[in-house]
């Protein structure tokens, strides 16, 4: 679910940021080559930035998980009785009676003490630590797929249709990603869809206005 949510949000970022770039440039010029260059530059810069940011963020999280597991390993080796008592308290706090919690803690410790503490105390699965490369790749792909929509919408139609086709395509895509993110978070979809569309529309309006002013001033 987390990967799916990250993919939806990454695609949404790709749609909005690339749409802002190409619509802004379209306000200054209708030359297809210029629009393609700007769109591709935005796509590559955005996807690489998203991937790098996700890699750094998830790497930090993974390092923290490894450090927590290493500390737990030391504590289990140096203070086994204290750790058993701690695990008993944690299980008891989850609703088990003291006697049952103690018995469960002893059984879990005999089976795999580190795994038991990792899951109950640290909320970490030692067999499934976060993967920064997978996170970076997912962000790169999601952003790229989202960015392709406004890029293709601005360069494929005839000049007179480029802007309306791009605006409509982007708003539809933002409605879909807003609905998807709301459903994944079990939230009402309507507010999320409206916020998403409003934000995208505002971004395109602002960049188009700036591009038009620059174009009128002869900056192309």
């Amino acid at each position: 679910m987390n990967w799916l949510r990250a993919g939806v949000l990454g695609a949404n970022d790709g749609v909005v940021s690339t749409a802002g770039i190409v619509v802004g440039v379209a306000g200054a010029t209708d030359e297809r080559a210029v629009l393609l260059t700007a769109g591709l530059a935005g796509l590559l810069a955005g996807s690489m930035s998203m991937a790098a940011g996700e890699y750094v963020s998830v790497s930090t999280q993974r390092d923290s998980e490894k450090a927590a597991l290493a500390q737990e390993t030391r504590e289990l080796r140096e203070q086994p009785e204290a750790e058993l008592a701690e695990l008993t308290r944690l299980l008891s706090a989850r609703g088990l009676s003291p006697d049952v919690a103690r018995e469960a803690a002893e059984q879990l410790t005999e089976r795999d003490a580190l795994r038991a503490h990792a899951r109950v105390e640290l909320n970490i699965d030692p067999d499934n630590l976060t993967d920064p490369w997978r996170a970076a790749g997912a962000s790169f792909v999601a952003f790229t797929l989202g960015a392709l929509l406004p890029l293709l919408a601005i360069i494929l139609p005839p000049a007179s249709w480029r802007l309306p086709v791009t605006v409509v395509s982007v708003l539809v895509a933002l409605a879909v990603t807003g609905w998807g993110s709301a459903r994944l978070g079990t939230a009402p979809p309507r507010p999320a869809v409206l916020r998403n569309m409003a934000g995208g529309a505002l971004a395109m309006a602002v960049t188009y206005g700036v591009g038009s002013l620059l174009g009128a001033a002869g900056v192309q």
Side-chain angles (χ1 to χ4, degrees), residues 12 19 36 38 47 66 100 188:
N12 187 82
L36 177 61
S47 59
K66 287 183 174 180
V100 173

Side-chain angles (χ1 to χ4, degrees), residues 23-171:
V23 169
V25 175
T29 179
D30 61 356
E31 293 186 20
R32 180 178 277 112
V34 176
L35 293 170
L36 177 61
T37 301
L40 283 176
L43 183 154
L44 291 174
S47 59
M48 293 300 294
S49 175
M50 286 284 291
E54 194 71 12
Y55 178 83
V56 171
S57 174
V58 176
S59 292
T60 301
Q61 180 181 348
R62 185 182 179 90
D63 291 343
S64 298
E65 292 173 347
K66 287 183 174 180
L69 290 174
Q71 179 178 347
E72 197 64 38
T73 300
R74 288 194 299 272
E75 292 175 351
L76 286 169
R77 182 176 60 250
E78 298 170 0
Q79 309 171 52
E81 289 302 322
E83 289 299 299
L84 178 60
E86 181 181 35
L87 183 58
T88 300
R89 288 195 302 271
L90 291 171
L91 292 173
S92 180
R94 296 190 176 190
L96 298 180
S97 67
D99 291 340
V100 173
R102 178 71 180 189
E103 182 180 353
E106 290 175 349
Q107 291 184 13
L108 289 172
T109 299
E110 290 176 2
R111 183 176 302 173
D112 192 325
L114 178 60
R115 188 182 306 278
H117 281 267
R119 290 182 172 175
V120 177
E121 179 182 349
L122 305 176
N123 196 28
I124 295 175
D125 184 353
D127 297 326
N128 191 28
L129 298 181
T130 52
D131 186 344
W133 287 108
R134 182 183 297 177
S139 294
F140 182 91
V141 171
F143 187 97
T144 299
L145 292 177
L148 282 174
L149 176 68
L151 177 58
L152 295 176
I154 202 72
I155 64 171
L156 293 181
S160 59
W161 284 91
R162 287 174 189 163
L163 193 58
V165 167
T166 301
V167 170
V168 171
S169 300
V170 167
L171 292 179

